[in-house]
Amino acid sequence: RKEVEQDPGPFNVPEGATVAFNCTYSNSASQSFFWYRQDCRKEPKLLMSVYSSGNEDGRFTAQLNRASQYISLLIRDSKLSDSATYLCVVTFISNFGNEKLTFGTGTRLTIIP
Amino acid sequence: NAGVMQNPRHLVRRRGQEARLRCSPMKGHSHVYWYRQLPEEGLKFMVYLQKENIIDESGMPKERFSAEFPKEGPSILRIQQVVRGDSAAYFCASHPDRAEAHRAEAFFGQGTRLTVV
C-alpha cells in the first residue's frame, strides 16, 4: 500500500463549479498534513495546511479525519487559474529524527472555460 | 529574502558522465531535503541533510548517488555515471530548525531538470 494515495485524475471541471479531492495515508503516526499545488514544470508550493478542526482559506476548504486517515480539499467557485496538480503531503518523524514529508502522486485538475 | 536557489535549472549529460546539482537553502534554514520527480509521477524523497551531516539517506539509490551539505556553500547532489533512467526533475527543499518543522512549510527550489542522452 502506498504511504499517501490520491486519485490521479484528471479532473476536468467547468469554471465556477465545486470540486473535491481526497487523499488517504497509511502511517497512523503522521503528524502534519498539507496540500501543495504544482503547476506544470514548476516547483510545488504550499496551498494550505490541514488541521483536525478543518480550515478554510477563501474558496479552499481542507479537512482531516485522523480516525479514517483521510484528508480532503474542496475548491468552490473554481477559476481557470486553479488548473494545476494538487499534492497531498503527510509528514512524520522518521527513525532518524527528521520530519519526513511524503507526497502523494498528485491529482491533476483542469478548469474548463 | 532569496528563496531556495537551485542550479543549474537544466542539465544535459551523456550516459556515463557525472551530474552535479546544487542547492542553496533559504537564509536561516539549515535543513535540506532532496526529492526526485520522474515524468508523470509524484515527488520521491531521496535524502535529508543538515550542515555537514547526512541525517536520512533512506531514499537514495545504493549506487552512483551521493549528497553533501558542507559547512560553507550549497548542498550538492552528485550522480555518477548517469543513465537514461536518471532523467528527472530534482527538487531541493529547505525548512527551519526541526523544532519548528511540524508547524512550518517546506520551501522548494525551482528544480534542476536533468536529461541524460
Side-chain angles (χ1 to χ4, degrees):
Chain A
R1 184 185 173 187
K2 288 183 181 177
E3 292 179 292
V4 180
E5 291 204 60
Q6 293 182 251
D7 181 346
F11 284 56
N12 299 314
V13 173
E15 193 175 5
T18 295
V19 60
F21 305 138
N22 301 321
C23 168
T24 56
Y25 59 96
S26 60
N27 187 339
S28 60
S30 296
Q31 294 198 315
S32 302
F33 309 88
F34 305 95
W35 284 101
Y36 275 71
R37 169 189 170 136
Q38 187 175 26
D39 293 288
C40 187
R41 302 185 68 77
K42 296 287 184 68
E43 75 275 23
K45 292 184 179 178
L46 179 68
L47 178 66
M48 59 196 304
S49 302
V50 188
Y51 305 115
S52 296
S53 55
N55 48 302
E56 189 174 309
D57 182 3
R59 299 181 293 109
F60 298 83
T61 301
Q63 294 279 352
L64 166 63
N65 184 321
R66 282 189 182 270
S68 302
Q69 295 180 202
Y70 170 97
I71 305 160
S72 66
L73 176 68
L74 182 78
I75 307 174
R76 291 182 298 278
D77 187 24
S78 53
K79 311 288 185 192
L80 295 176
S81 57
D82 294 334
S83 298
T85 296
Y86 290 83
L87 304 168
C88 176
V89 182
V90 173
T91 76
F92 62 93
I93 302 299
S94 78
N95 293 335
F96 302 95
N98 58 297
E99 186 188 38
K100 196 165 177 178
L101 288 79
T102 304
F103 286 78
T105 53
T107 298
R108 186 174 295 179
L109 172 67
T110 301
I111 305 300
I112 303 166
Chain B
N1 185 14
V4 179
M5 303 299 293
Q6 287 189 251
N7 67 83
R9 293 285 304 280
H10 300 275
L11 182 61
V12 179
R13 284 288 178 265
R14 295 188 183 278
R15 279 178 294 171
Q17 290 185 317
E18 178 180 288
R20 291 171 71 88
L21 288 60
R22 288 176 289 277
C23 169
S24 296
M26 285 184 72
K27 187 176 180 181
H29 289 189
S30 58
H31 300 239
V32 166
Y33 292 81
W34 283 95
Y35 288 83
R36 176 166 63 175
Q37 187 172 33
L38 295 169
E40 305 302 319
E41 293 191 13
L43 281 82
K44 300 293 185 189
F45 167 79
M46 298 183 76
V47 62
Y48 166 67
L49 308 104
Q50 295 179 16
K51 283 282 186 182
E52 299 185 277
N53 280 307
I54 298 173
I55 304 301
D56 179 359
E57 56 182 346
S58 58
M60 289 280 270
K62 293 286 187 280
E63 297 175 344
R64 302 188 298 108
F65 285 72
S66 62
E68 63 177 7
F69 192 9
K71 186 177 180 181
E72 301 291 337
S75 175
I76 306 286
L77 179 67
R78 183 181 177 206
I79 311 172
Q80 295 178 289
Q81 299 174 323
V82 296
V83 301
R84 287 221 170 113
D86 297 332
S87 296
Y90 292 83
F91 289 100
C92 167
S94 75
H95 68 62
D97 183 85
R98 179 164 61 89
E100 300 295 319
H102 69 282
R103 291 189 289 272
E105 67 177 288
F107 292 87
F108 282 82
Q110 292 180 302
T112 294
R113 279 167 179 77
L114 173 66
T115 302
V116 180
V117 298

